[in-house]
Amino acid sequence: MWKVDERTVESLIGMIDGAELALPQFQRPSVWGKANWIPFLHTILLGRPTGTLLLLEASENQHLHPRKLDTAPELKDRGAKWLLLDGQQRTTTLYRAVRTGFGAADRRKKVVIDVRAALDRGEMVEDDLQLVSAQKVPGFAELAEQGKVDFGTLFDAPELAGWQHSFVEAHYGGDARSFAYDLKQVAPRLTDIGSYRFPVLVIEKDTPLAVVADIFEDMNRRGQPLNKFDLMVARLYRPLDEKTYFDLRDEWVTALAEASYLQQLGIDEDDGMLPLQLIAKQVARLPADLRGRVKGLTGGDALELDPLQVIGDPNAALPNLSLKVAVDALDRAAEFLVRSCGVVAPQLLPQQAMLLPLADQFLMPERQRLGPAELKLWFFSVSLAIDYYGSVNTYADRDCNRLEHWAKHGVEPESVSALTRDMVNQLDLRMAFTREGNILGRSVMALLVLGGALDWVPGQFAIKEADSIDFHHLVPDQRLRSWYGRAEDRKPIAALTPLRSSTNRSIGTRDSRAVITELGNDAPQIMSSHQIDTELLEKAYHNKEAFESFVEDRERRLKELIIKALGL
């Protein structure tokens, strides 16, 4: 699917001139400025490596909709032979340096190199390359008299020969051999810029787009990742009429702006694969001749979707399904979590992928889907079992199938039937609120909010939907450091509770007794809403044994809360 190759500067410029090299639609505009242009061109002149380029052989099957590089000629019928996946900034910089110049058209600048200064110094430095207004750059002969050269001249063979002759006459008394030797020491590529070679990784056409994304990410660890949503933006970029194009990114941003519950749970513009995965799951249920290579809801499956299915079209395999419909289902799933499960903030959602099985149900007619009580049992059963830790898409796909089967046949999935009093009593709520404990801990905190946990301020304010949530150390971490060396020992689930972020900051590292005293008559009800024994908490601040007794008691209380809240 790929091979290692090379491309010279001359061949790259020729590919751009001939409209054979273009950018896929997902690429952002060129962003380099002088601080990047000059060091890059300086490195080229020295003949040093500047990194690998990544080219994809264009294919109609990709539907990546190429666009031209900045300042390059227009493409012919929007076609191109090669797509530049990695190397846009470098390639665009080269093209501007030898062809079109830098900056706006009415203030175009050229790169002028002070060759004389470099030769006198015995070294070419970045300061020898300057951006000069194109209107002030004279012809090559006059520049040669000044000891300088326009970068564009280096790529024009007749001009370069004329410049060399003029420079040698003006500064070397006609000794071309000495000039060539000295120049090779300070800028070995200056008179042979066209043959400078870039290593290139070439991906052959019809390589699966999921593989393309993986190759890009492996090559570009320190740069902007090429994620699967970017690829879908390119694939789906197509005309809707004579004046407008379907832009998946704009459509997603617009739909998300109207999805208030998704926003409340922290879903943002970077999470655009969620609705595409949901659509893919619906398509995966179709007969083989209609679903194509879509088999589930992974990112790779979403990349195989028929564009019409995302755009929304009567001719799509599922004519009533589109991006907008999928986002609406996800928003209803988020609303269910907020209203029925206490997940009122991103910090209380164990895993974003858990939205997918819920949204999958909300795409079904109400009479055919599970009811709120059943969905609530599913959500907490998988959370308390610490599912969705690891391969989250695998879990989401599995649970879409399980919930669908439950709705059709009335048979509880194994994860739900395993949610019993005994299972809850065996939970380890002294587990650290890190890694897998994060999933269990968030679900317990959500149940506290659902049960009416009050904020720790006089007046008994309930934790509201719009509040930012922190997980408050009931005994400050700073205090626990003197008793426990390992960070995970200082953060058991049973020693944390949800509070408004502002309240948590105001408490800081103060003694629990002082905080409880400030709450006055409200303290008993507030502590009770968090399943806390006030007397044990007051003692827990002062020694390790008292803290461990408090954690043991609160673990028991939290388990009783879970059993009661879930009707077990």
Side-chain angles (χ1 to χ4, degrees), residues 453-467:
L454 302 174
D455 200 33
W456 287 30
V457 292
Q460 302 173 8
F461 296 109
I463 296 173
K464 301 294 184 182
E465 294 181 3
D467 290 332

Side-chain angles (χ1 to χ4, degrees), residues 79-211:
K81 185 177 179 181
W82 299 98
L83 297 177
L84 183 61
L85 299 187
D86 190 26
Q88 176 195 176
Q89 309 299 338
R90 288 168 288 162
T91 308
T92 301
T93 298
L94 266 176
Y95 194 77
R96 286 174 167 169
V98 302
R99 285 282 190 264
T100 60
F102 297 87
D106 58 340
R107 297 188 299 276
R108 195 72 77 199
K109 292 185 178 182
K110 293 184 176 184
V111 176
V112 174
I113 309 163
D114 194 336
V115 180
R116 181 73 262 177
L119 290 169
D120 290 344
R121 190 186 305 109
E123 176 189 14
M124 178 168 283
V125 297
E126 290 180 13
D127 285 345
D128 292 329
L129 283 69
Q130 296 292 326
L131 284 173
V132 179
S133 172
Q135 296 177 346
K136 296 181 180 180
V137 177
F140 69 84
E142 186 175 342
L143 276 176
E145 290 283 340
Q146 299 174 15
K148 300 176 180 180
V149 66
D150 168 13
F151 201 100
T153 295
L154 306 182
F155 199 73
D156 185 319
E159 270 199 16
L160 179 59
W163 174 84
Q164 287 180 274
H165 176 76
S166 298
F167 191 96
V168 168
E169 291 298 319
H171 304 285
Y172 273 79
D175 187 353
R177 180 174 296 182
S178 295
F179 168 65
Y181 177 83
D182 290 348
L183 188 62
K184 191 172 183 62
Q185 308 311 306
V186 301
R189 280 290 177 186
L190 190 135
T191 58
D192 190 22
I193 198 77
S195 62
Y196 176 92
R197 295 177 180 273
F198 290 93
V200 178
L201 184 65
V202 177
I203 305 176
E204 296 178 359
K205 64 180 179 181
D206 297 330
T207 297
L209 289 177
V211 176

Side-chain angles (χ1 to χ4, degrees), residues 376-426:
K376 178 180 174 181
L377 278 176
W378 166 79
F379 175 75
F380 283 107
S381 71
V382 296
S383 299
L384 296 172
I386 315 182
D387 275 0
Y388 289 80
Y389 174 68
S391 184
V392 294
N393 286 334
T394 300
Y395 289 122
D397 193 68
R398 175 203 68 184
D399 285 337
C400 284
N401 295 336
R402 287 182 173 180
L403 295 185
E404 180 191 29
H405 185 79
W406 187 8
K408 285 184 177 179
H409 305 289
V411 180
E412 285 185 349
E414 183 180 345
S415 59
V416 175
S417 60
L419 183 62
T420 63
R421 296 173 70 97
D422 287 342
M423 179 267 200
V424 172
N425 283 322
Q426 291 174 19

Side-chain angles (χ1 to χ4, degrees), residues 45-94:
L45 291 171
L46 298 183
R48 295 173 181 170
T50 56
T52 302
L53 305 181
L54 180 60
L55 293 181
L56 173 64
E57 189 177 6
S59 167
E60 293 182 0
N61 297 332
Q62 296 159 352
H63 305 295
L64 291 179
H65 302 282
R67 63 176 175 82
K68 72 183 186 71
L69 280 76
D70 288 355
T71 76
E74 295 294 334
L75 300 180
K76 300 171 182 176
D77 299 324
R78 299 186 60 79
K81 185 177 179 181
W82 299 98
L83 297 177
L84 183 61
L85 299 187
D86 190 26
Q88 176 195 176
Q89 309 299 338
R90 288 168 288 162
T91 308
T92 301
T93 298
L94 266 176

Side-chain angles (χ1 to χ4, degrees), residues 270-329:
D270 293 332
D271 300 313
M273 285 302 291
L274 276 173
L276 300 180
Q277 289 177 265
L278 182 58
I279 294 172
K281 184 58 187 175
Q282 315 314 306
V283 173
R285 294 188 173 111
L286 294 172
D289 60 328
L290 294 177
R291 69 171 182 261
R293 294 198 284 187
V294 179
K295 298 179 180 178
L297 53 66
T298 68
D301 290 312
L303 284 172
E304 299 293 342
L305 285 171
D306 177 356
L308 295 181
Q309 192 63 77
V310 180
I311 294 172
D313 190 283
N315 296 318
L318 295 169
N320 295 319
L321 181 62
S322 65
L323 178 77
K324 190 175 186 309
V325 172
V327 173
D328 180 67

